[in-house]
Amino acid sequence: MKLLEERIRRDGKIRENGAVLKVDSFLNHQIDVELYNEMGREFFRLFGDEGVTRILTIEASGIGIACVTAQYFGVPVLFAKKSKTRNIDGSVYVTQVHSFTHGGDYDVMVAKDFLLPTDRVLLIDDFLANGSALQGLMDLVSQAGATVVGAGICVEKAFQPGGDALRAQGLRVESLARIAAMSEEAGGTFC
């Protein structure tokens, strides 16, 4: 998606010797709602014929784009929580994921009431690097006996193994911006 690539070139910042792409001024801290709207429209164009009944993401950065995208599909958004709170009663599906950003493992969960065997689930997330978050979401969907129709990703670090590994497993992954390489000196190169 050229619009997102241009925004990354203009406002993205590469840090930590090319390991981190900061897009917090428009994507995952401060949100450019017009850009989100165009990304949501693009995800609908890509997956609109898949019979999506629910969108699933992980808190927190994926929630905004999942909500905007869900408006195009006319379906609810479910987000996997990183901790069980008092307002989650009853049983939950639980899986463990590793966060590259936070540098640790944690359990995520969704209430069984909101993820049903009849669901056709579109996974949405802001970043794809090593694929642990999507693996975790796929596990939650599998536990429910539901169907994953694909994954919509805002930014994929294509030089990391996650996207290739997930595609090799048969998951349809559609990334709006795929970065082939990045460095603080040269910036990012798109696929």
Side-chain angles (χ1 to χ4, degrees), residues 40 44 48 51-55 66-77:
F44 183 73
V52 173
T53 61
R54 191 169 315 274
I55 291 176
C67 287
V68 172
T69 300
Q71 291 181 75
Y72 285 96
F73 286 88
V75 300
V77 171

Side-chain angles (χ1 to χ4, degrees), residues 129-185:
N130 291 311
S132 181
L134 286 179
Q135 290 284 1
L137 292 176
M138 288 171 38
D139 182 45
L140 293 172
V141 173
S142 176
Q143 289 178 50
T147 302
V148 174
V149 302
I153 304 299
C154 298
V155 180
E156 178 181 346
K157 293 180 179 177
F159 57 90
Q160 290 185 280
D164 289 342
L166 291 163
R167 289 178 182 98
Q169 292 176 21
L171 180 65
R172 178 181 172 196
V173 179
E174 299 285 353
S175 300
L176 302 184
R178 295 185 74 231
I179 300 175
M182 60 185 202
S183 70
E184 291 180 47
E185 301 78 30

Side-chain angles (χ1 to χ4, degrees), residues 59-103:
E59 71 175 344
S61 296
I63 295 173
I65 187 59
C67 287
V68 172
T69 300
Q71 291 181 75
Y72 285 96
F73 286 88
V75 300
V77 171
L78 177 62
F79 64 92
K81 292 183 172 240
K82 294 179 182 172
S83 60
K84 190 167 183 178
T85 58
R86 289 183 187 178
N87 63 350
I88 295 181
D89 55 356
S91 56
V92 295
Y93 300 114
V94 179
T95 194
Q96 190 174 78
V97 298
H98 177 78
S99 171
F100 174 81
T101 307
H102 296 104

Side-chain angles (χ1 to χ4, degrees), residues 117-135:
T118 55
D119 279 322
R120 293 183 54 79
V121 180
L122 174 61
L123 309 176
I124 294 286
D125 209 356
D126 62 337
F127 268 91
L128 170 56
N130 291 311
S132 181
L134 286 179
Q135 290 284 1

